[in-house]
C-alpha cells in the first residue's frame, strides 16, 4: 500500500498539523504509525495525569513542543486545595534524561518549581519558548535561570501566574549577546524591575514583537521602550499614570505615533484617565484590546477610546463600561468576534453594571461574535432568544449571572428557554457555561441540540439525575464536564460508565454523589482514576459508603493511579 | 504604601465571599443560605431578609484576577489620633502583616490574639465594621473573608477595648 519512500510520507505529514488529524494518521497502518511517531514534533496533553512522561517520550521521541495542563479548571476558583498535584518537575527530569530536543513548553495550571525551571534551562540547548498560564510554585529565581541559560530564547510568556518575587535581577540575567527575544510578557510579576536592564534588553532585541510590562514599569520608561521598539505588534503597558501636561507625556505621545504596527493593546494596570488620549492613534488598527485590569477607567473614558477601534476583533473589558458603553461597542466594532466582560468588583455580587441589555446590543451590532464571557447582574429569556437569533456563530458562550440562581427578573421563570435557544441556534457551540435559575429542562435542550459541545460548566442548576443524564446521553462530543452544587447523584453517575472513557474528565462537587458510587465506578472502570478530595478531618476509613462526597474528580488515563497524590486526595 | 510587598506563592483564597441579593432592595434569594438543597428561591415566602450566604468559588473569577483587581482602600481610625489613615487591604497577605502595619502607622502595640480572649496585653483592640454594619474584632474570621467584608478599621482604646478584648 505504501508506494512512497518514508521521507515523502513524512513530508506529506508535515502539512498535517492538527493533533486530531495526526492521531488519525497514526491509526492507518503500522508503517504510517511509525513514520508519524518519529516525525511528530508537537504534542498536546490535556491532562498531565492521563499519561506518564516516560510513555510520552517512548511514543514520540522526536518531541519538540509540549503542551501540558494540570489542575482541573475549577482550581482557578479555589475549589481545589493547594498541593493537589500537577507538578512539572517529573516531566522535565524525564525529558532531560532522554535527551529530548525540547524547544517549546506551554503549561496551564501546573505547579512549576524553580528547580524544574533551572533543570529545563540547562537541559535543552535549543529551547526557545516558555508559556506559563495560571501556574504557581516558582519565583523570580527560576526566571533568572531561564534568562541566563536559554541562549536561543524567543518567547517568555507569563500569563496570570502567582510568582513569588525575590526582587532578584532576573532581567539582568539575559546575557548581553541574547538578541533573539520575540515575546516578553512579565505583566503578572509583582515586584520591582531593573529598568535599565529592561531598556538595554529591549534595545538589543530587534525581533521583539510583543512586550507586556508589569506595574513596576513607570510611564517614562514606557516612553523610552517604545522609542527603542517601534516595531512592536503587541504592547502591554505597566503603570500608566502621569501628568498629561508634562514633557514626558508629550514624549510618550510622540513615541506611540511612531509605533504603527501595534495591533494588540493591554495593561493599564494603574491608569490616569486623562492620559488615555495618547493611545488614540493606535486604536484604529487594533484587533485586540484588553482593559480588564484598568480599574481606573470609567465608562465615559472607555467609550471614548473604543470609538476609535473600528477594526477590533477581541475586547476584554470591565463591567463598568455599562450597557450604554456596550452599545458604543456594538455600533463601532463591526468586526468583533470575542467579548469578555469581567466584574469590576468580583467580591460584591450586587453591583455588576451590565445587564441583558448590553449583551443584546452587542449581538445586534456585531454579527461575527463567536466567543463570549459575560458577567452580569441579570439575564432574561427574551434577551437570550434575541441573542441566539442575532448570532448563530457562537463557539464559546459563557454566561455568569453574579447571583447564581437568579431567574428571569421580568417573568420570574427559569432561564431554560433562553439557553435552549442558544444551543438550538448555535450549531457549532463547543463550550457552554450556564448560570441563573435552571431546571432539568435546560439539560434536555442541551442534550438534544448541543451536538458539538465539548465543554460544559454547570453550577446550582437542575432538579434531578435526569438533568445530568440528558447531557451524558445527548452530547456525543463532550470532553469536559464540571458540575458544582447540583442535585445529581449516583444514578446519573453510574448509568453509563463507559461514557467517561470518551471524555477527558468529570468534576462533581457539592452534589449528591456518594462514596459508595464512586467506589463502584472506580472498580468497574480501571481505565479511569476516580479521585475524592476530602479536606475534612475524617479519614478514608471513617467515611461510610452512603455518605456524600464533597469533591470528586475523575479522568481517563493509561497509566493508572498517580503516585504523587497528597493525603487529602483518595484514589479509589 | 508598600506596593511591592512580595506575595506568598500560596496566597490562594480559601473562601471567597458572595453576598447574595440585590443591593439595597428586598432579598429575593431567601432560600439560598443552604443552596445545596434548595435550588429555587421561595418567592411565596416573603419573610425577613435572611443572613447573606457566602459561596466559595463564586463568582467564577480566577484568583489572580480577584487578587489584582482594584485596590481596596479602607479608612483606619485610632481613638485619640487627630486624623485617619487609609490603607489598601489587598497589599497584605494576612493578619500579622496588617496588624504590624497598623502598629507602625500609629506607633503602638496591639497584643496577642487568641480566639477565646481577643487581644491580650495592651490597651488596644483592633476592630472593623463589616458589611452588615456591625463592629467586629479583627482576627476571628479567615483572612479572605475579612478582606471582603471589612469596610473600615477602628483601633479601640481603653475600657471600651478591654470590654471587647477580654473574654468576660
Amino acid at each position: 500500500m505504501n508506494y512512497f519512500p518514508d521521507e515523502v510520507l513524512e513530508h506529506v505529514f508535515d502539512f498535517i498539523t492538527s493533533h486530531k488529524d495526526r492521531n488519525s494518521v497514526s491509526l492507518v497502518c503500522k508503517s504510517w504509525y511509525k513514520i508519524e511517531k518519529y516525525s511528530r514534533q508537537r504534542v498536546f496533553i490535556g491532562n498531565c495525569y492521563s499519561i506518564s512522561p516516560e510513555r510520552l517520550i517512548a511514543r514520540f521521541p522526536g518531541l519538540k513542543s509540549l503542551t501540558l495542563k494540570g489542575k482541573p479548571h475549577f482550581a482557578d476558583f479555589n475549589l481545589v486545595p493547594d498541593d493537589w498535584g500537577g507538578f512539572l518537575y517529573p516531566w522535565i527530569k524525564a525529558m532531560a534524561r532522554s535527551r529530548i530536543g525540547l524547544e517549546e513548553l506551554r503549561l496551564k495550571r501546573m505547579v512549576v518549581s524553580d528547580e524544574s525551571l533551572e533543570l529545563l534551562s540547562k537541559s535543552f540547548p535549543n529551547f526557545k519558548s516558555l508559556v506559563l498560564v495560571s501556574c504557581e510554585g516558582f519565583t523570580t529565581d527560576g526566571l533568572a535561570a531561564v534568562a541566563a541559560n536559554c541562549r536561543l530564547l524567543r518567547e517568555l510568556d507569563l500569563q496570570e501566574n502567582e510568582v513569588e518575587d525575590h526582587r532578584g535581577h532576573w532581567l539582568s540575567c539575559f546575557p548581553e549577546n541574547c538578541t533573539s527575544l520575540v515575546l516578553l510578557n512579565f505583566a503578572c510579576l509583582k515586584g520591582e524591575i531593573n529598568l535599565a536592564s529592561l531598556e538595554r534588553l529591549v534595545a538589543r532585541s530587534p525581533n521583539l514583537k510583543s512586550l507586556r510590562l508589569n506595574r513596576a514599569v513607570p510611564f517614562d520608561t514606557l516612553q523610552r521602550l517604545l522609542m527603542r521598539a517601534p516595531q512592536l505588534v503587541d504592547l502591554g503597558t505597566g503603570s500608566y499614570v502621569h501628568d498629561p501636561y508634562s514633557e514626558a507625556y508629550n514624549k510618550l505621545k510622540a513615541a506611540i505615533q511612531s509605533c504603527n504596527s501595534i495591533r494588540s493593546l493591554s495593561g493599564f494596570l494603574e491608569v490616569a484617565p486623562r492620559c488615555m488620549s495618547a493611545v488614540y492613534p493606535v486604536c484604529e488598527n487594533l484587533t485586540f484590546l484588553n482593559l480588564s485590569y484598568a480599574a481606573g477607567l470609567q465608562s465615559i473614558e472607555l467609550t471614548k477610546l473604543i470609538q476609535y477601534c473600528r477594526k477590533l476583533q477581541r475586547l476584554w473589558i470591565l463591567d463598568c463600561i455599562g450597557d450604554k458603553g456596550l452599545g458604543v461597542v456594538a455600533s463601532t466594532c463591526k468586526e468583533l468576534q470575542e467579548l469578555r466582560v469581567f466584574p469590576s468588583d468580583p467580591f460584591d455580587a450586587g453591583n455588576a453594571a451590565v445587564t441583558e441589555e448590553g449583551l443584546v446590543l452587542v449581538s445586534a451590532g456585531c454579527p461575527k461574535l463567536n466567543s463570549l464571557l459575560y458577567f452580569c447582574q441579570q439575564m432574561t429569556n427574551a434577551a437570550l432568544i434575541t441573542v441566539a437569533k442575532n448570532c448563530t456563530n457562537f463557539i464559546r458562550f459563557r454566561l455568569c449571572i453574579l447571583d447564581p440562581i437568579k431567574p428571569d427578573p421580568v417573568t420570574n421563570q427559569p432561564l431554560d428557554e433562553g439557553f435552549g435557544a442558544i444551543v438550538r441556534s448555535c450549531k457549532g457551540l463547543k463550550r457552554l457555561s450556564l448560570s441563573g435559575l435552571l431546571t432539568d429542562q435546560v439539560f434536555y435542550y442541551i442534550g438534544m441540540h448541543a451536538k458539538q459541545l465539548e465543554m460544559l460548566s454547570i453550577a446550582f442548576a437542575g432538579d434531578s439525575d435526569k438533568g445530568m443524564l440528558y447531557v451524558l446521553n445527548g452530547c456525543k462530543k463532550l470532553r469536559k464536564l464540571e458540575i458544582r452544587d447540583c442535585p445529581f447523584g449516583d444514578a446519573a453517575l453510574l448509568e453509563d460508565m463507559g461514557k467517561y472513557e470518551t471524555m477527558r474528565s468529570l468534576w462533581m462537587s457539592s452534589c449528591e454523589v456518594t462514596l459508595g458510587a464512586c467506589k463502584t465506578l472506580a472498580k468497574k472502570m480501571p481505565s479511569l482514576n476516580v479521585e475524592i478530595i476530602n479536606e475534612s478531618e475524617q479519614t478514608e476509613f471513617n467515611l461510610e459508603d452512603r455518605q456524600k462526597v464533597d469533591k470528586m474528580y475523575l479522568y481517563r488515563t493509561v497509566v493508572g493511579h498517580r503516585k504523587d497524590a497528597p493525603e487529602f486526595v483518595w484514589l479509589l | 504604601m508598600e506596593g511591592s510587598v512580595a506575595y506568598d506563592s500560596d496566597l490562594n483564597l480559601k473562601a471567597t465571599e458572595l453576598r447574595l441579593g440585590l443591593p439595597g432592595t428586598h432579598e429575593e434569594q431567601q432560600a439560598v443560605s443552604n443552596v445545596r438543597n434548595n435550588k429555587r428561591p421561595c418567592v411565596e415566602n416573603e419573610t425577613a431578609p435572611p443572613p447573606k450566604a457566602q459561596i466559595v468559588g463564586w463568582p467564577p473569577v480566577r484568583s489572580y484576577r480577584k487578587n489584582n483587581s482594584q485596590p481596596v482602600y479602607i479608612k483606619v481610625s485610632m481613638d485619640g489620633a487627630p486624623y485617619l489613615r487609609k490603607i489598601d487591604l489587598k497589599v497584605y497577605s494576612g493578619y500579622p502583616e496588617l496588624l504590624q502595619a497598623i502598629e507602625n502607622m500609629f506607633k503602638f502595640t496591639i497584643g496577642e490574639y487568641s480566639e477565646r480572649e481577643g487581644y491580650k496585653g495592651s490597651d488596644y483592640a483592633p476592630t472593623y465594621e463589616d458589611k452588615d454594619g456591625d463592629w467586629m474584632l479583627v482576627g476571628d474570621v479567615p483572612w479572605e473573608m475579612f478582606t471582603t467584608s471589612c469596610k473600615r478599621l477602628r483601633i479601640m482604646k481603653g475600657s471600651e477595648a478591654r470590654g471587647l478584648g477580654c473574654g468576660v
Side-chain angles (χ1 to χ4, degrees), chain B residues 16-93:
Chain B
T16 35
E17 273 192 11
L18 171 72
R19 301 291 181 163
L20 295 172
L22 301 173
T25 59
H26 67 279
E27 305 290 346
E28 282 180 356
Q29 276 63 44
Q30 318 280 28
V32 190
S33 52
N34 188 3
V35 229
R36 220 182 124 118
N37 297 325
N38 202 345
K39 299 292 174 288
R40 296 179 208 280
C42 302
V43 190
E44 332 83 49
N45 196 9
E46 296 285 319
T47 56
K52 294 174 181 173
Q54 281 150 18
I55 303 179
V56 176
W58 193 269
V61 174
R62 260 191 202 160
S63 15
Y64 175 85
R65 185 172 283 280
K66 272 190 172 144
N67 295 345
N68 288 280
S69 60
Q70 197 160 22
V72 177
Y73 281 111
I74 56 156
K75 292 182 188 172
V76 187
S77 64
M78 169 137 151
D79 291 358
Y83 49 80
L84 279 62
R85 303 295 304 270
K86 259 194 171 165
I87 56 173
D88 175 7
L89 269 190
K90 305 235 310 298
V91 159
Y92 306 101
S93 49

Side-chain angles (χ1 to χ4, degrees), chain A residues 79-114:
Chain A
L79 289 178
V80 177
D82 293 341
D83 309 327
W84 171 86
F87 304 106
L88 174 65
Y89 188 77
W91 296 86
I92 303 295
K93 186 156 156 227
M95 287 190 287
R97 194 191 295 130
S98 302
R99 299 187 199 285
I100 293 289
L102 194 68
E103 295 184 16
E104 276 181 21
L105 187 62
R106 313 174 72 91
L107 304 175
K108 191 168 189 181
R109 281 188 290 272
M110 298 274 302
V111 177
V112 177
S113 61
D114 281 346

Side-chain angles (χ1 to χ4, degrees), chain B residues 94-107:
Chain B
Y95 287 117
E97 289 85 354
L98 171 67
L99 294 174
Q100 180 80 61
I102 295 182
E103 282 178 330
N104 292 342
M105 205 179 250
F106 289 102
K107 309 271 181 288

